[in-house]
C-alpha cells in the first residue's frame, strides 16, 4: 500500500459517494473544501499561458511532467466554487500517465455530479476549456 501524500486528495469515487447524500448547500461546501485542499499554486505560475480561457472566474492550470512518466497539475482560481470544480476535474487525471489522461472520458467521469444542474451556467461554462487544456497538455507531453 502506498503512503498518502501530505495533502492527499480523496478519490473521485469517495467524493461522489459523499456528494450523492448532500443537499445543494452542502454540495457547495464540499466543492469549496475540495478547492481549499488543492496543492498551492505559486503566483509566478499564474500567467497568461496558464490561464484557462472562457471561464467567468480566473482559472490557472499548470502541468508538470514527472520523472515516472505521469503528469501532475497545479491549479488555482480566484473563486472558491470554481476552484472546487477544477479540483474535481483534477481528481479524474492527477498523477496519471499522459496516455491515460488523453484516454479518460473526463466529462463522463464528472457526469454523476450533475454540475450543470447544481451550479449556474456561468460557473460551469469553463469546464470544457479546463478539460481541453488538460488534454492538450497531456497530448503535448506525450509527444
Amino acid at each position: 500500500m502506498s503512503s498518502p501524500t501530505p495533502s492527499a486528495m480523496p478519490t473521485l469515487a469517495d467524493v461522489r459517494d459523499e456528494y450523492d447524500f448532500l443537499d445543494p448547500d452542502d454540495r457547495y461546501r464540499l466543492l469549496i473544501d475540495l478547492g481549499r485542499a488543492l496543492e498551492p499554486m505559486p503566483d509566478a505560475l499564474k500567467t497568461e499561458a496558464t490561464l484557462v480561457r472562457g471561464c467567468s472566474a480566473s482559472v490557472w492550470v499548470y502541468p508538470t511532467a514527472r520523472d515516472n512518466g505521469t503528469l501532475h497539475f497545479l491549479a488555482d482560481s480566484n473563486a472558491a466554487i470554481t476552484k472546487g470544480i477544477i479540483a474535481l476535474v483534477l481528481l479524474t487525471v492527477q498523477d496519471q500517465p499522459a496516455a491515460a489522461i488523453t484516454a479518460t472520458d473526463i466529462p463522463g467521469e464528472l457526469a454523476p455530479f450533475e454540475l450543470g444542474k447544481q451550479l449556474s451556467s456561468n460557473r460551469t461554462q469553463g469546464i470544457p476549456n479546463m478539460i481541453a487544456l488538460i488534454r492538450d497538455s497531456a497530448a503535448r507531453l506525450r509527444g
Side-chain angles (χ1 to χ4, degrees):
M1 188 196 272
S2 65
S3 60
T5 56
S7 60
M9 294 290 285
T11 67
L12 191 65
D14 290 341
V15 174
R16 186 170 45 235
D17 288 346
E18 184 176 351
Y19 193 85
D20 287 343
F21 290 102
L22 298 175
D23 64 41
D25 286 345
D26 287 333
R27 287 177 174 183
Y28 279 119
R29 280 191 275 284
L30 176 63
L31 287 173
I32 290 169
D33 288 345
L34 281 175
R36 285 185 182 138
L38 276 177
E39 181 180 347
M41 182 178 189
D43 287 340
L45 297 177
K46 297 175 188 175
T47 66
E48 283 297 310
T50 61
L51 185 67
V52 178
R53 306 283 178 243
C55 295
S56 58
S58 295
V59 176
W60 300 271
V61 177
Y62 182 80
T64 56
R66 297 277 169 102
D67 290 340
N68 64 1
T70 63
L71 290 176
H72 185 79
F73 295 90
L74 295 176
D76 200 359
S77 175
N78 63 350
I81 295 286
T82 304
K83 189 171 179 176
I85 293 169
I86 191 62
L88 199 60
V89 170
L90 289 183
L91 285 178
T92 68
V93 298
Q94 191 69 287
D95 299 323
Q96 298 294 315
I101 293 170
T102 57
T104 298
D105 177 9
I106 301 170
E109 293 287 326
L110 297 177
F113 292 93
E114 298 181 318
L115 294 173
K117 291 183 180 178
Q118 305 297 326
L119 304 169
S120 64
S121 62
N122 70 333
R123 294 244 189 249
T124 58
Q125 70 186 10
I127 295 174
N129 296 355
M130 292 177 205
I131 293 169
L133 189 144
I134 288 166
R135 283 192 173 142
D136 290 349
S137 298
R140 192 172 57 253
L141 292 170
R142 188 176 74 186

